[in-house]
Amino acid sequence: KPVVLNGKLLSSHIKESIKKDTADFIKNSGITPHLVVIYVGDNKQIESYIKAKKTGCEEVGFRFTLDRFSSDITEAQLIKKIKYHSEDPSVHGIIVQLPLPENINRDNIIQAIDPKKDVDGLTSINMGQIMVSKKPLFIPCTPLGILEIFKAYNIKLEGKNVAVLGRSNLVGRTIATLLSQKDMSNPSIMGGANVTTFHKYSKSYHHLLKNADVIISATGVPGLVKKEDLKKGVILIDVGINYKEDSSKKSGYRMVGDVDPESYEKSIAYTPVPGGVGPLTVACLLRNVLKSSILHYRIQCSRLRAGVENNIVDK
Ligand code: NAD
């Protein structure tokens, strides 16, 4: 029987440890970590993702602010808002809830976030560090969550064939980059895998999935990964969040992943949807916010120290 990679349970352990670290941090620094979510629009589904972030913040003792705008906000106005939060010393993490309305250029918006507060890891500085640095500052939360699963279940990827479906910065491209890294000196980032990426322009690739020891699917195409395409003993990491009509549910729909559940029987381990990667994304976001708060506190302390030293020198 395949092992269910229980993201929900793992995320509650991670949140417990963040809660404890946060209480210590607040006691020592007097600073409460503070996440700001910027959201344009009124989509019920997206609002449920924001709610999960808010609940997560409350659970671990963070401050949470939702800065919400209607879709007629202009790009320039939104950039001004982001700059405002970037400069506010009481804010430690800023995320822009995606997608944005079409009249707004997503890249311009993301690049307006101070990279030291970019807890989603999407600014070019943070993305670039993933390529070149042994210790990137912020890694996007879903790839981080996937790494947490591999670590917790002791899944070793060195020399393994990993197929990544999807190539967004948020998920596919980033996890593919991390897992294929040649420098494996940072134990919190796994490298050494033989990674192949597939995307919507990849042609008839499904037979190639038979080579994969691990499949990570982040496409938003329900049922894309099918039983007949898999080798026995594969590990399935399903990032997809899709909704199917289901009259037996109160909401009228049911959440499904990219992986057809019939595939599970071919695997040795799989992440369910819901309850797999999703909860870990939130837990890793909280970890990034705490990391950012500690970083800001250290910068503040070193400025103070430098000020005191300058005063002594001046005397
Ligand atoms: P995206 O739309 O930015 O990217 C989708 C990717 O899938 C693209 O690179 C596209 O080329 C690829 N794709 C489309 N059809 C394909 C096909 N037939 N075969 C292979 N690749 C194909 O989306 P995203 O932000 O990367 O999110 C992907 C999915 O993951 C969505 O369902 C999203 O809701 C979900 N998601 C889940 C979490 C989580 O916490 N579980 C977090 C982020 C995203």
Side-chain angles (χ1 to χ4, degrees):
K1 248 190 131 193
V3 174
V4 181
L5 303 169
N6 190 336
K8 204 170 166 193
L9 184 67
L10 187 52
S11 95
S12 65
H13 291 320
I14 294 174
K15 281 193 282 192
E16 268 314 308
S17 96
I18 295 174
K19 187 175 173 179
K20 191 180 158 296
D21 292 346
T22 301
D24 290 345
F25 174 68
I26 295 174
K27 205 164 104 195
N28 294 330
S29 67
I31 292 171
T32 302
H34 181 191
L35 173 68
V36 172
V37 173
I38 290 165
Y39 171 49
V40 184
D42 57 355
N43 175 311
K44 284 271 168 299
Q45 217 61 69
I46 293 177
E47 280 161 27
S48 74
Y49 302 151
I50 297 174
K51 194 165 164 236
K53 289 167 187 165
K54 178 173 188 265
T55 310
C57 283
E58 286 164 357
E59 275 171 20
V60 299
F62 293 176
R63 205 177 135 198
F64 175 90
T65 302
L66 173 61
D67 208 356
R68 189 177 178 163
F69 305 99
S70 63
S71 334
D72 57 8
I73 189 168
T74 65
E75 194 175 302
Q77 285 169 323
L78 201 54
I79 289 178
K80 215 170 146 192
K81 292 282 176 190
I82 293 172
K83 297 251 184 236
Y84 170 80
H85 291 302
S86 286
E87 280 161 23
D88 180 350
S90 79
V91 173
H92 307 101
I94 301 170
I95 57 182
V96 176
Q97 189 66 45
L98 299 172
L100 289 165
E102 281 186 1
N103 60 315
I104 294 176
N105 180 310
R106 171 190 156 147
D107 281 344
N108 293 346
I109 297 300
I110 287 172
Q111 298 311 334
I113 302 172
D114 175 354
K116 291 196 292 305
K117 296 188 181 184
D118 170 30
V119 286
D120 252 349
L122 292 174
T123 55
S124 53
I125 291 204
N126 287 318
M127 276 277 128
Q129 281 205 350
I130 290 170
M131 295 291 287
V132 298
S133 165
K134 286 183 187 168
K135 278 196 165 184
L137 186 57
F138 295 118
I139 295 174
C141 310
T142 305
L144 265 187
I146 297 171
L147 294 180
E148 286 298 333
I149 293 175
F150 291 143
K151 271 186 270 169
Y153 286 89
N154 204 17
I155 297 168
K156 300 267 188 284
L157 294 178
E158 205 178 317
K160 292 278 169 22
N161 290 339
V162 178
V164 176
L165 314 190
R167 53 158 182 194
S168 68
N169 289 349
L170 199 61
V171 195
R173 187 191 307 281
T174 300
I175 192 68
T177 305
L178 292 168
L179 298 182
S180 59
Q181 248 161 22
K182 65 174 186 203
D183 185 339
M184 294 186 283
S185 56
N186 181 354
S188 61
I189 296 175
M190 296 179 179
N194 174 40
V195 181
T196 314
T197 304
F198 300 98
H199 49 81
K200 72 174 167 198
Y201 300 112
S202 305
K203 294 217 170 85
S204 40
Y205 64 85
H206 283 262
H207 66 286
L208 297 173
L209 297 180
K210 274 236 158 69
N211 287 332
D213 302 303
V214 177
I215 295 176
I216 301 171
S217 187
T219 68
V221 181
L224 181 67
V225 177
K226 294 199 166 54
K227 185 171 144 188
E228 59 268 27
D229 298 327
L230 309 176
K231 86 170 173 193
K232 210 165 179 337
V234 66
I235 294 173
L236 297 168
I237 307 292
D238 191 354
V239 182
I241 298 179
N242 313 293
Y243 293 93
K244 271 200 165 164
E245 275 184 28
D246 184 342
S247 53
S248 70
K249 299 267 176 204
K250 212 169 87 189
S251 57
Y253 58 80
R254 163 171 65 96
M255 192 195 280
V256 297
D258 292 354
V259 175
D260 181 350
E262 283 199 357
S263 311
Y264 297 159
E265 65 184 67
K266 276 250 181 111
S267 71
I268 46 166
Y270 69 90
T271 59
V273 176
V277 177
L280 285 169
T281 298
V282 178
C284 290
L285 169 68
L286 300 173
R287 191 181 271 164
N288 275 351
V289 175
L290 181 58
K291 184 176 176 179
S292 173
S293 311
I294 295 171
L295 175 77
H296 282 87
Y297 177 59
R298 286 195 183 142
I299 293 172
Q300 195 182 312
C301 289
S302 67
R303 278 196 193 129
L304 275 175
R305 240 189 338 265
V308 171
E309 279 158 16
N310 283 344
N311 280 343
I312 294 169
V313 173
D314 289 346
K315 278 176 195 163

